[in-house]
Amino acid sequence: MSWGFLRDLLSGVNKYSTGIGRIWVAVVFIFRLLVYIVAAENIWKYEHDEFECNIKQPGCENVCFDHFFPVSHIRLWALQLIMVSTPSLLVVFHVTYRENREKRHNQKLYKSPREIDGGLLYTYLISLILKTGFEIVFLVLFYKLYNGFKVPRLVKCDIRPCPNSVDCYISKPTEKMIFLYFLVATSCLCIVLNLSELSYLIFKYSIKCYLKRVIKKRQ
Amino acid sequence: MDWGALHTILGGVNKHSTSIGKIWLTVLFIFRIMILVVAAERVWGDEQDDFICNTLQPGCKNVCYDHFFPISHIRLWALQLIFVSTPALLVAMHVAYRRHEKKRQFRKGDQKCAYKDIEEIRKQRFRIEGSLWWTYTSSIFFRLVFEAVFMYAFYFMYDGFRMPRLMKCNAWPCPNTVDCFVSRPTEKTVFTIFMIAVSSICILLNVAELCYLLTKFFLRRSRKAANPKHHPNHENKEETKQNEMNELISDSCHNTVIGFSS
C-alpha cells in the first residue's frame, strides 16, 4: 500500500471527469504527488537527526524539536494529498451504484450512467466543494501551525529541561521554504481549477434548465 | 508513483511525435531520468552528513550548508525534469480531445466519419497539422524555455558548474571564518557536467525539431499557394511513406525505451 494506490484511484476518477477535472488530475499527479515523492520526501528525511541545539543537556533537543514541529511539514503535505484526492471517490461510488442498479433491474434507467446529470451532478458538485474545502483547511493549518510559510534558520527554545534560552538550528531551511512555497502555489492552482470547474458546471446546467423551461412554455 | 509513472504518461505521447521528438524522449529517459535515479541520487545521498566544518560550534554546519546549498543539485534536476516533461502533456490532452470528438461523431452516426469501429479511433495516429501543429510547437517552445531557465538558475546559484572542495563560511553562529569541506566534490562535478551536457543536447534536439516543424509548415504553405488544385494521390503517397518511416522509428524507439524500463 503506497502512493501507487492513490495513483490508480485518481486514474479511475479521470474517466468520469470534465476537461477541467482531467487537468486537475494531471496537476495533482505531476506537480504534487511526483514532486513529493522524488524531491520533497528526501529533504525532510533526516530532519530530526540534523536538528541541532547549542547545548549538551540530554533531552533538550528532543523537546525543542517536538515544540517547533508538532506535525512535520512533510506529514501535513502527505495528509493534504490524501484528503484532497478522496472526495473524487464519491463520484466513482455513485457511478458504480448507477451501473449496478441498471444491471439489477436489467433495463436502461439512465441516458448514460457516466453522464454528469441528475443526482450525479450533485455528487460531483459536492466532491468539488469538499476538495476545495480541504485545500483551504490545510493551507490555513500550515499557516497557523508554522506562523506563515517561512522556515527560520535559528529558533530559540527555553522549555524544560533546556536551561535558560538555547539556540537551535533547523537543517536545510531555505530548501524547505522553497518547496513549501511550491506546495502553496500548486494548492492555489488546484483551488482555482476546482472553482472554475464548479462555476462551469453550474453555468452549463442552469442554461440547460432554462432552455428546457423555455421549450416547455412554448409547447 | 515515481518516474515510471511519468514514463507511462509520456509514452502515449510518443506515438504522435516527430522522429526528433522520439529521440528527445529516449534521451530524456535514458540519459537524464535513469542516470538521476541510479547514480546521481547515490552521489548526493550523504551530502549533509558528510559536509564537515572545521569547528565544534553547534549549528555552524547547518547554517553553512544552508548558505552554500539553498536548493540541492539533485532536487533542482528533479524539478527541471518534471517541468521539461510537462509540455508534452499539452499534446496528449489535445490528442485525447480530438479522439473524443471523433468518437462522438462516430456514435452520432456521422457519414463523414470513415472509421469502422471505436478501436480504430483509439489506435489512430494523428498527423501534426492544423491546431495540433500549434499545440505541438508551443510545447517544444515551452520545453526550451524551461530548460534554459533551469540551466541559468543552476549557473547563477552555484557560480558555474564546478563543485569546490573547500568553502569558507562566516555566517553566524560560526566564529570568525570557518573551513567547510564538501563530500565527493569531483564525483559531483563530473555528474553536474554530464547533466549539463545532456541538457544542452536536449536543447539542440528541441531547436532542430522546431526548425523542422517550421520548415515543413512553410513548405506546405508555399506548395498550397503554388498549386491551389493539388493532386491528392501524389501527396498521399509521400505522406504514407513518411508515416511508414515514422512507424518504424517509433517501434524501434518504443522497444528501446520499454526494454530499459523492464
Side-chain angles (χ1 to χ4, degrees):
Chain A
M1 183 62 125
S2 70
W3 291 110
F5 178 72
L6 196 72
R7 176 195 65 191
D8 295 334
L9 193 120
L10 287 179
S11 311
V13 164
N14 215 10
K15 273 187 281 184
Y16 315 121
S17 306
T18 61
I20 305 178
R22 289 188 183 135
I23 298 175
W24 177 86
V25 172
V27 167
V28 168
F29 260 0
I30 294 176
F31 291 106
R32 297 177 79 175
L33 202 51
L34 189 61
V35 168
Y36 173 91
I37 291 172
V38 308
E41 244 183 350
N42 292 328
I43 302 174
W44 272 270
K45 203 168 176 185
Y46 299 113
E47 57 173 338
H48 198 159
D49 291 336
E50 290 165 356
F51 181 77
E52 210 176 351
C53 288
N54 189 0
I55 186 102
K56 281 194 170 160
Q57 169 65 47
C60 179
E61 246 178 46
N62 279 9
V63 160
C64 291
F65 183 84
D66 183 62
H67 174 76
F68 288 108
F69 300 107
V71 180
S72 171
H73 297 94
I74 202 78
R75 249 72 67 189
L76 267 180
W77 193 336
L79 277 174
Q80 183 187 24
L81 278 174
I82 294 172
M83 299 296 271
V84 152
S85 314
T86 329
S88 310
L89 274 179
L90 291 173
V91 177
V92 176
F93 289 157
H94 196 144
V95 170
T96 319
Y97 165 76
R98 275 188 173 188
E99 283 172 350
N100 285 341
R101 219 170 144 221
E102 275 194 341
K103 255 192 222 168
R104 241 185 312 136
H105 295 264
N106 239 342
Q107 48 174 273
K108 203 171 164 58
L109 295 164
Y110 308 100
K111 207 176 4 172
S112 154
R114 291 176 182 197
E115 175 122 359
I116 305 176
D117 59 6
L120 189 59
L121 173 66
Y122 290 112
T123 312
Y124 202 86
L125 291 175
I126 290 171
S127 80
L128 283 173
I129 294 170
L130 280 175
K131 271 189 240 176
T132 316
F134 282 136
E135 295 270 18
I136 295 174
V137 159
F138 273 93
L139 280 178
V140 168
L141 200 61
F142 255 111
Y143 192 85
K144 284 269 146 87
L145 262 177
Y146 295 107
N147 276 341
F149 301 111
K150 283 209 172 96
V151 181
R153 266 187 193 179
L154 160 73
V155 285
K156 289 189 188 286
C157 174
D158 58 3
I159 306 166
R160 269 198 68 208
C162 305
N164 308 306
S165 187
V166 162
D167 289 338
C168 291
Y169 302 91
I170 298 175
S171 74
K172 312 195 202 186
T174 313
E175 204 166 2
K176 287 179 181 170
M177 197 171 67
I178 292 174
F179 276 87
L180 275 180
Y181 280 128
F182 191 83
L183 175 150
V184 170
T186 47
S187 283
C188 295
L189 176 64
C190 285
I191 291 174
V192 164
L193 284 171
N194 285 333
L195 289 174
S196 23
E197 202 180 354
L198 198 63
S199 8
Y200 164 73
L201 281 171
I202 292 176
F203 180 72
K204 186 174 158 192
Y205 285 93
S206 338
I207 300 276
K208 237 192 196 178
C209 276
Y210 175 74
L211 285 173
K212 268 192 197 164
R213 241 184 267 161
V214 162
I215 294 172
K216 261 191 187 167
K217 268 191 191 167
R218 281 196 187 158
Q219 287 173 351
Chain B
M1 180 69 198
D2 55 7
W3 294 112
L6 190 71
H7 167 60
T8 320
I9 296 171
L10 291 183
V13 176
N14 210 13
K15 229 190 338 178
H16 308 278
S17 307
T18 61
S19 324
I20 306 177
K22 285 164 186 160
I23 296 172
W24 174 83
L25 207 68
T26 313
V27 167
L28 184 82
F29 276 106
I30 297 178
F31 293 105
R32 295 175 83 176
I33 295 180
M34 204 168 129
I35 295 285
L36 186 84
V37 169
V38 309
E41 265 178 13
R42 307 268 160 85
V43 175
W44 269 267
D46 52 8
E47 54 179 329
Q48 196 173 336
D49 289 339
D50 288 350
F51 180 79
I52 292 175
C53 288
N54 189 0
T55 185
L56 283 175
Q57 171 63 48
C60 177
K61 185 174 110 159
N62 277 8
V63 161
C64 289
Y65 182 84
D66 183 62
H67 176 75
F68 289 114
F69 301 108
I71 176 166
S72 169
H73 292 67
I74 208 90
R75 249 79 66 183
L76 209 53
W77 282 327
L79 278 179
Q80 181 184 16
L81 286 170
I82 292 174
F83 274 89
V84 153
S85 315
T86 323
L89 284 181
L90 290 173
V91 177
M93 282 186 203
H94 193 141
V95 164
Y97 169 74
R98 269 204 186 174
R99 271 212 191 111
H100 180 73
E101 288 295 304
K102 293 234 153 106
K103 275 189 194 166
R104 219 160 34 104
Q105 276 180 359
F106 180 79
R107 281 201 191 109
K108 276 189 188 165
D110 203 340
Q111 277 164 347
K112 272 189 238 168
C113 205
Y115 299 102
K116 293 191 189 126
D117 58 20
I118 288 228
E119 274 310 306
E120 214 183 302
I121 299 177
R122 217 169 275 167
K123 290 187 189 154
Q124 191 214 13
R125 183 179 165 263
F126 290 104
R127 282 181 48 210
I128 304 172
E129 52 189 20
S131 53
L132 187 61
W133 185 91
W134 287 102
T135 311
Y136 196 82
T137 316
S138 11
S139 82
I140 299 180
F141 178 73
F142 280 119
R143 262 188 241 164
L144 276 168
V145 166
F146 287 138
E147 291 268 22
V149 161
F150 273 94
M151 274 182 85
Y152 178 71
F154 213 96
Y155 189 84
F156 179 74
M157 252 196 266
Y158 295 107
D159 265 332
F161 302 122
R162 254 193 85 235
M163 179 71 82
R165 271 186 191 172
L166 161 72
M167 291 169 163
K168 291 192 185 285
C169 174
N170 58 4
W172 192 86
C174 304
N176 308 307
T177 303
V178 160
D179 289 337
C180 290
F181 301 91
V182 178
S183 78
R184 311 189 211 220
T186 314
E187 203 168 4
K188 287 180 180 170
T189 308
V190 166
F191 273 95
T192 307
I193 292 176
F194 180 85
M195 294 298 258
I196 298 293
V198 182
S199 270
S200 317
I201 292 174
C202 285
I203 289 178
L204 287 172
L205 283 171
N206 285 330
V207 167
E209 202 178 357
L210 204 58
C211 295
Y212 167 72
L213 284 169
L214 288 169
T215 317
K216 215 171 133 185
F217 175 72
F218 286 121
L219 277 176
R220 215 184 291 148
R221 249 180 140 190
S222 59
R223 225 185 282 158
K224 274 193 187 162
N227 293 335
K229 296 177 192 173
H230 64 270
H231 195 32
N233 285 337
H234 176 66
E235 262 206 31
N236 276 344
K237 263 190 203 165
E238 267 187 274
E239 266 128 21
T240 24
K241 231 187 186 177
Q242 179 65 45
N243 274 352
E244 274 173 35
M245 276 192 62
N246 282 345
E247 289 297 339
L248 278 168
I249 295 172
S250 87
D251 281 343
S252 59
C253 274
H254 198 55
N255 287 338
T256 326
V257 178
I258 287 209
F260 270 91
S261 71
S262 59

